[in-house]
Amino acid sequence: MRSLPSMEKILTDDRLGEFGGIIDRDSLKRMCRDALERWRDMILDREVLSFDDDVFFAELRQELKRRLRPSLRPVLNCTGVVVHTNLGRSCLSAEAAEAARAAACGYSTLEYNLESGARGHRNFHVEWLLCQLTGAEAALVVNNNAGAVLLVLAALAGKKEAVVSRGELVEIGGSFRIPDIMSFAGTRLVEVGCTNRTHLKDYENAISEETAMLLKVHPSNFRITGYVSLPLREDLAELAHAKGLMMVEDLGSGILVDARTLGLEGEPTVNECLEAGVDVVTFSGDKLLGGPQIGAIVGKKQIIDRIRKYPLLRALRCDKMTLAAMEATLRIYLRGDWKKIPSLGMIAASEDELKARAAALKKRIDSELADFCLQTKVVPVEDAVGGGAYPERPLPGWAVSLLPANENLNAGVLQERLRRCTLPVVAGARSNELLLHMRTLPAEDENALISSLEEALETKR
């Protein structure tokens, strides 16, 4: 124990000199104290028998480098999953990113009306655009779709009942469960039908004096196939209105363009839901809409105004950067330039385009990384929309397959090495080949990918 260095000796050691300009002395002192405590504990527990100065400073330097490196870092997505929840879902367009930057770097009209010189409302910046693009009478936004569902239930069905099909009592993401959200909102759940089949009569029989709404929930990341039946939303809306109730739909991933233009089918647009008679629709901004994380609530003005007055709204409101990015994204739709939204452009990319890009990338890898003797192929793959949308309908794509020639370097090891690069790469794999899916790799990032590949291969060699 007496061989442990003093704090002053540690702080003045030349081996920590490079950290002097990037961490203040007090913070450095706390980290050094933690390192000393670990060594004291190891000595007392007889995990080590003596103090090793070189090992101590090597570990301390490694910990300092890890702690001082940003945790939220850019990565290259080579998985083929477009709306990748773990990698940040949708990528913003350049316009949306610039709008968020401008809002972050200065003052803005977040809650200020320039015409009257009085306080304004932050929801104003996106409401008109959402109404124009969806056909809704009114709209408001909160910080995400889970918040939107919670707010709608609490404001419209608190201490009342909501009728939901058993086949739509879903759990998605980080334990977001419809029954739990309803309970938290103070809404009593009334389950109807069976897992695979629910009929209109089931809803009708469940309606009582305590019923506030019929609730339809998007299945998101799963599908039930085979002997399946659900009422049309038009029929549910008609039943709700005939009984003096509201029809609410959690659409999950809000799409504003005809899915067929993206080569997809079966996903209703927000417009179609409202046209079918749904009173209130909630959806995410960062999935198939391709904007920032946001929860949109659109529908009939009289009902939206009730939600607008509910106190919980303030706790769920969006910040200025999110609103700026959302407004810029919606204005792209307003111009009809939706292909400029990165996520939609990726989904709409053709097989021929992806195959040609894969062939060109293979050629570059063969030429620029020839010293590593990689076996490369252009191979067909299955990509995915992601974000809980179209789980059973893969997107046909193309990838570059890498098969390391070194017997000590397999696809799993190369995957790990790529994740540890200066610019990390998250890639797919099958058998013993690494797969670089082209759909989610922007062409302008291919140079960076080559650099990361070289770094990963050099490290292993």
Side-chain angles (χ1 to χ4, degrees):
M1 296 290 282
R2 285 195 296 270
S3 64
L4 292 174
S6 68
M7 181 61 67
E8 187 61 29
K9 183 178 179 181
I10 297 173
L11 293 174
T12 56
D13 194 285
D14 290 342
R15 284 169 286 188
L16 299 185
E18 67 180 278
F19 301 104
I22 55 178
I23 183 172
D24 70 90
R25 183 180 174 86
D26 287 341
S27 297
L28 179 59
K29 190 174 181 179
R30 283 191 292 271
M31 294 190 68
C32 293
R33 185 182 296 116
D34 291 342
L36 276 174
E37 287 297 331
R38 284 196 300 273
W39 274 86
R40 287 193 183 98
D41 291 342
M42 288 191 295
I43 291 171
L44 290 172
D45 294 340
R46 298 186 179 276
E47 293 179 25
V48 295
L49 300 179
S50 62
F51 175 74
D52 190 316
D53 184 77
D54 290 333
V55 173
F56 173 81
F57 275 97
E59 290 179 350
L60 181 56
R61 283 171 52 81
Q62 184 178 13
E63 179 68 5
L64 283 165
K65 288 179 179 179
R66 186 177 73 85
R67 292 295 185 182
L68 296 176
R69 183 176 60 202
S71 177
L72 187 59
R73 299 166 60 193
V75 301
L76 297 182
N77 177 11
C78 293
T79 67
V81 180
V82 178
V83 185
H84 199 305
T85 298
N86 297 338
L87 300 183
R89 291 189 177 174
S90 288
C91 302
L92 292 180
S93 67
E95 289 179 45
E98 173 55 28
R101 187 205 65 79
C105 293
Y107 297 106
S108 66
T109 57
L110 178 63
E111 289 188 356
Y112 188 78
N113 188 313
L114 291 173
E115 294 180 3
S116 66
R119 180 170 181 168
H121 301 281
R122 66 178 62 200
N123 197 65
F124 167 82
H125 305 290
V126 296
E127 181 169 17
W128 180 83
L129 289 163
L130 281 169
C131 291
Q132 286 293 306
L133 294 169
T134 66
E137 295 177 6
L140 56 84
V141 291
V142 293
N143 57 5
N144 62 26
N145 191 47
V149 175
L150 174 63
L151 177 61
V152 168
L153 289 170
L156 304 179
K159 299 181 180 179
K160 300 282 282 184
E161 295 176 350
V163 183
V164 189
S165 168
R166 285 189 173 89
E168 295 177 355
L169 294 176
V170 300
E171 175 183 328
I172 60 173
S175 299
F176 174 85
R177 311 178 96 187
I178 288 296
D180 293 344
I181 292 296
M182 294 178 70
S183 176
F184 189 74
T187 304
R188 295 194 296 276
L189 167 64
V190 177
E191 305 175 32
V192 296
C194 296
T195 302
N196 61 321
R197 292 179 70 82
T198 304
H199 305 285
L200 189 64
K201 196 71 175 176
D202 296 324
Y203 286 90
E204 187 173 2
N205 291 338
I207 293 173
S208 72
E209 293 181 357
E210 293 298 306
T211 306
M213 67 174 64
L214 304 186
L215 176 63
K216 184 172 178 60
V217 182
H218 192 280
S220 189
N221 51 9
F222 79 97
R223 290 291 184 275
I224 300 173
T225 59
Y227 191 58
V228 176
S229 175
L230 279 172
L232 297 174
R233 61 175 51 83
E234 290 89 344
D235 295 336
L236 285 174
E238 184 178 347
L239 172 63
H241 299 157
K243 299 292 185 178
L245 307 175
M246 290 171 286
M247 170 65 187
V248 174
E249 180 164 4
D250 170 20
L251 195 54
S253 181
I255 186 169
L256 299 181
V257 299
D258 189 333
R260 289 170 295 186
T261 62
L262 300 173
L264 302 170
E265 292 182 355
E267 189 78 11
T269 65
V270 180
N271 312 57
E272 289 170 345
C273 293
L274 293 172
E275 289 171 1
V278 179
D279 298 302
V280 175
V281 179
T282 69
F283 55 93
S284 295
D286 57 346
K287 292 184 180 179
L288 288 180
L289 194 148
Q293 178 178 296
I294 213 165
I297 305 171
V298 302
K300 293 182 177 177
K301 185 178 186 305
Q302 184 179 7
I303 300 176
I304 297 296
D305 285 345
R306 285 178 57 188
I307 302 171
R308 208 188 304 271
K309 296 173 183 177
Y310 196 74
L312 183 61
L313 175 60
R314 182 174 178 83
L316 300 173
R317 65 183 183 174
C318 301
D319 65 70
K320 59 185 179 181
M321 293 168 286
T322 303
L323 286 168
M326 186 65 171
E327 180 184 1
T329 301
L330 294 175
R331 291 195 180 280
I332 293 174
Y333 279 101
L334 196 66
R335 297 198 308 264
D337 290 340
W338 58 264
K339 284 192 176 180
K340 290 185 178 179
I341 295 173
S343 295
L344 300 191
M346 292 177 189
I347 293 171
S350 70
E351 288 187 69
D352 290 343
E353 174 190 350
L354 296 173
K355 187 176 182 180
R357 286 189 54 214
L361 180 61
K362 174 191 180 303
K363 186 175 181 180
R364 284 193 62 184
I365 292 173
D366 291 342
S367 173
E368 298 178 36
L369 302 179
D371 291 346
F372 299 101
C373 302
L374 292 169
Q375 298 179 34
T376 63
K377 294 184 294 183
V378 173
V379 296
V381 289
E382 289 187 349
D383 295 333
V385 174
Y390 296 94
E392 84 291 3
R393 297 193 185 114
L395 301 172
W398 289 87
V400 177
S401 161
L402 302 183
L403 185 63
N406 185 336
E407 61 182 13
N408 296 319
L409 179 61
N410 57 39
V413 172
L414 186 53
Q415 267 187 314
E416 180 182 352
R417 294 285 171 177
L418 284 170
R419 294 198 305 269
R420 296 177 181 271
C421 285
T422 305
L423 177 59
V425 178
V426 182
R430 65 186 179 197
S431 300
N432 190 32
E433 56 181 352
L434 187 84
L435 297 175
L436 303 173
H437 293 242
M438 302 308 300
R439 187 180 299 276
T440 49
L441 177 68
E444 59 268 23
D445 286 342
E446 290 180 13
N447 288 339
L449 173 64
I450 295 292
S451 297
S452 290
L453 275 171
E454 185 173 12
E455 181 182 340
L457 293 166
E458 284 283 4
T459 300
K460 187 59 185 175
R461 186 166 64 175

